[in-house]
Amino acid sequence: MMLSRAPRDLTMAETVRGPGGARVDLLLVSEMIEPGSRVLDVGCGDGELLRLLEARGVDGRGIELSREGVNECVAKGLAVIQGDADTDLANYPDDAFDYVILSQTLQATRRPRDVIEHMLRIGRRAVVSFPNFGHWRIRLQLLFDGRMPRTANLPETWYDTPNIHFCTIKDFNDMCALVGAHMEKAVALDPWGTALKINAPWWFWNLFGEQAVFVLTRKPG
Amino acid sequence: MGDQATTDTTRDAFGRPGPATMSTTPATAETKLPVLVREADRPRSRLAEFGPDTPLQLDCGVAFSPFQVAYQTYGTLNETKSNAVLICHALTGDQHVGNVHPVTGKGGWWDIMIGPGRPIDTDRYFVVCSNVVGGCMGTSGPSSTNPLTGDPYGLDFPVITIKDMVRAQTMLLDHLGIDTLFAVAGGSMGGMQVLEWCASYPQRVFSALPIATATRHSAQNIAFHEVGRQAVMADPEWRNGRYFVEGTMPRRGLSVARMGAHITYLSDTALHRKFGRRFQDRDNPTFSFDADFEVESYLRHQGSTFVERFDANSYLYLTRAMDYFDLAADHGGVLANAFKGTRTRFCVISFTSDWLFPTPESRAVVHALNAGGARVSFAEIETDKGHDAFLLDEPELLGIVRGFLDSAGRARGLVS
């Protein structure tokens, strides 16, 4: 399983950079986090999001699978540990964080549902961003080419990809209902990193959103 | 072992003429004996002496007094006394972390880490390193003179623990007027002291670097130590620990202990890369028990140089202290309890080829810290150099220590 945000895994929106040079999807996530809160970034890569968060006065921690990513983060002074989302989240106590973030990593976990459930247990809120496999270009490839879709943003062949659990925005919604997660906020991004209209229907997001960001909480009671 | 070891050791691992290793001629014993005893009582080092009114309370129940702590310092303590870094040394280390060693003449054991502009920057921090209690370089230990008898303590010295070592360090810091450490760092047995500091005196530690260490000794680690101790005690010159009094030195026993231990500090890969199956200064085997192989010659050299600078009884006491260490057991069997509510910033580091303190041991510390919501960084560094990697020029290690301390320094207001 891969947790690192290797450049080859990036969707197009991820590579779009904002005014400060930061990835727009990370900027979007960081703006969802209240200053002063405690955050765990699962699959934190080279620590770019944690740095954005620390600049906002957030007490950020990270888990990263790749040794290179971890060592780079620690050398930057970030509180990051080497670990695996599938196995290591179980070691954290309930309500240890205000937010647990899973950015562009869900599709690479072995048991995405367990990971989401742990996130909801550890954090008061879970923030999940993932590439939407229901995007029209991916649908068209499967329909007309009859092969597993490969795009400029998801270039790996089926036998080579670390992304083993792709889902669509609708699929993710279904799972949220199943695990009893309350959807506090949802945003879909177009390939340029711009949020789609907030009042668009789900089918529209599922067709035109290249990626999605969800903020989840445990259902009260 | 024994007789064969005295042959063919006139060259060291690098083929240079070396000392006649393992030789235990009385002349050598007499000339070397005073050095270790003198260093134990009157070290060429800074010294803090504690009289009868301030005994060291030991875990074994003894209130040990009088006692002394030998230490070295580097850099300058700032006005608020907030920039002190304590370095805890490993089993065979000492306080000479950043200066030429008075006995061996070699550079400091962590020169690569400590100094002006180095990761533990003495232009910025006030670095303190003390010899552990039970050691042999000036802090009270079995080679120190027992004031009641006028002879070295030997086995009359009380058995000490990692916690006792840390207690002695707290007394030194009190003596120096340092309340809170900016950082405490150490590898191996030094890492055990770091963890003990964080568990016993969390309010006195701002940041901590336990490196290549564990919260307890495994059965395998205890087993290796027991082999080493038995080698020392099997040497007829050990004399039940009274070798100084009887004018002998258990050189062969201690050097065999060191040879065995040294293997555990390296990795199979590193040994093979360094020596392979190469012969030492010969093209063919001699069909004898000479040191035909380079690796044999290297180990004999390690053993023989070790006995010149280290006391055999200290080796027994300090290995015992490591064996007894079990941080979870001291906290109701739950490691997380040892770090409950801690505000210390941790940087835990392990090495891929370290089979003495393998990565899962460090990971257990990290999990316990996570359970308590501590601020912890954890890096495993890829290297084939084994346990000893923490002492070596590992660029990633140096970069991580520097980055971690810079960040902690900013949080502490020491770095702008």
Side-chain angles (χ1 to χ4, degrees), chain A residues 38 51 54 59-62 67-68 70-72 74-84 88 91-93 96, chain B residues 345 347 352 359 363 366-367 370-382 396 399-400 402-404 407 410:
Chain A
R38 283 167 52 83
R51 283 217 139 176
E54 294 217 330
D59 180 10
R61 316 286 168 83
R67 193 176 291 130
E68 306 78 51
V70 174
N71 296 3
E72 203 181 325
V74 178
K76 285 177 189 165
L78 298 168
V80 170
I81 66 167
Q82 202 269 332
D84 186 330
D88 291 346
N91 297 306
Y92 288 86
Chain B
R345 303 159 78 101
C347 181
T352 50
T359 292
R363 208 177 278 287
V366 172
H367 288 162
N370 280 339
R375 186 183 164 93
V376 51
S377 302
F378 166 52
E380 182 190 35
I381 293 170
E382 184 155 26
E396 250 185 320
I400 284 167
R402 186 187 295 275
F404 173 75
S407 162
R410 281 193 296 276

Side-chain angles (χ1 to χ4, degrees), chain B residues 194-412:
Chain B
V194 172
L195 294 171
E196 184 64 53
W197 260 100
C198 297
S200 293
Y201 306 95
Q203 72 288 355
R204 295 188 76 168
V205 183
F206 185 76
S207 65
L209 292 119
I211 303 171
T213 194
T215 59
R216 61 183 167 78
H217 240 196
S218 67
Q220 191 187 43
N221 291 356
I222 296 170
F224 277 122
H225 272 176
E226 174 59 3
V227 171
R229 283 189 294 265
Q230 287 300 329
V232 170
M233 295 190 283
D235 188 326
E237 301 212 351
W238 180 61
R239 308 283 166 98
N240 213 25
R242 289 174 50 80
Y243 45 87
F244 285 126
V245 179
E246 303 201 4
T248 59
M249 276 295 259
R251 290 161 173 279
R252 278 175 289 186
L254 182 58
S255 70
V256 168
R258 174 64 168 177
M259 288 166 77
H262 198 79
I263 301 167
T264 68
Y265 304 151
L266 305 173
S267 71
D268 184 27
T269 321
L271 268 181
H272 198 78
R273 177 164 39 83
K274 212 166 175 181
F275 306 109
R277 293 183 46 83
R278 285 192 300 279
F279 288 123
Q280 178 73 43
D281 302 328
R282 66 202 68 184
D283 299 323
N284 298 297
T286 60
F287 295 100
S288 74
F289 296 106
D290 281 2
D292 277 358
F293 292 100
E294 274 187 16
V295 66
E296 293 175 291
S297 178
Y298 169 77
L299 280 182
R300 289 182 186 191
H301 176 74
Q302 289 296 325
S304 65
T305 51
F306 182 61
V307 301
E308 302 301 319
R309 68 171 180 89
F310 210 85
D311 175 52
N313 285 338
S314 271
Y315 196 80
L316 304 183
Y317 277 86
L318 299 187
T319 54
R320 203 67 184 139
M322 290 177 79
D323 293 349
Y324 279 157
F325 187 57
D326 186 346
L327 201 52
D330 292 345
H331 293 85
V334 181
L335 188 57
N337 288 348
F339 306 115
K340 214 170 191 173
T342 184
R343 296 177 60 83
T344 304
R345 303 159 78 101
F346 286 83
C347 181
V348 180
I349 301 173
S350 70
F351 300 93
T352 50
S353 55
D354 182 352
W355 55 279
L356 199 57
F357 292 92
T359 292
E361 300 285 351
S362 287
R363 208 177 278 287
V365 174
V366 172
H367 288 162
L369 288 167
N370 280 339
R375 186 183 164 93
V376 51
S377 302
F378 166 52
E380 182 190 35
I381 293 170
E382 184 155 26
T383 172
D384 70 357
K385 290 174 186 156
H387 181 59
D388 262 356
F390 81 91
L391 296 166
L392 304 174
D393 185 6
E394 287 286 342
E396 250 185 320
L397 170 67
L398 301 178
I400 284 167
V401 171
R402 186 187 295 275
F404 173 75
L405 286 181
D406 281 355
S407 162
R410 281 193 296 276
R412 186 75 171 144

Side-chain angles (χ1 to χ4, degrees), chain B residues 77-157:
Chain B
L77 188 61
N78 64 10
E79 256 179 46
T80 52
K81 301 189 174 183
S82 60
N83 69 335
V85 176
L86 179 71
I87 307 296
C88 301
H89 70 74
L91 172 62
T92 64
D94 51 43
Q95 70 272 32
H96 300 288
V97 60
N99 56 264
V100 171
H101 196 279
V103 176
T104 66
K106 289 183 179 164
W109 58 265
W110 226 5
D111 258 346
I112 203 148
M113 188 67 86
I114 294 163
R118 307 257 165 86
I120 301 177
D121 189 347
T122 50
D123 287 338
R124 191 181 279 172
Y125 309 121
F126 177 64
V127 175
V128 181
C129 184
S130 65
N131 189 211
V132 295
V133 61
C136 55
M137 287 304 287
T139 296
S140 300
S143 54
S144 307
T145 300
N146 181 347
L148 295 179
T149 64
D151 291 327
Y153 280 99
L155 295 195
D156 290 336
F157 196 78

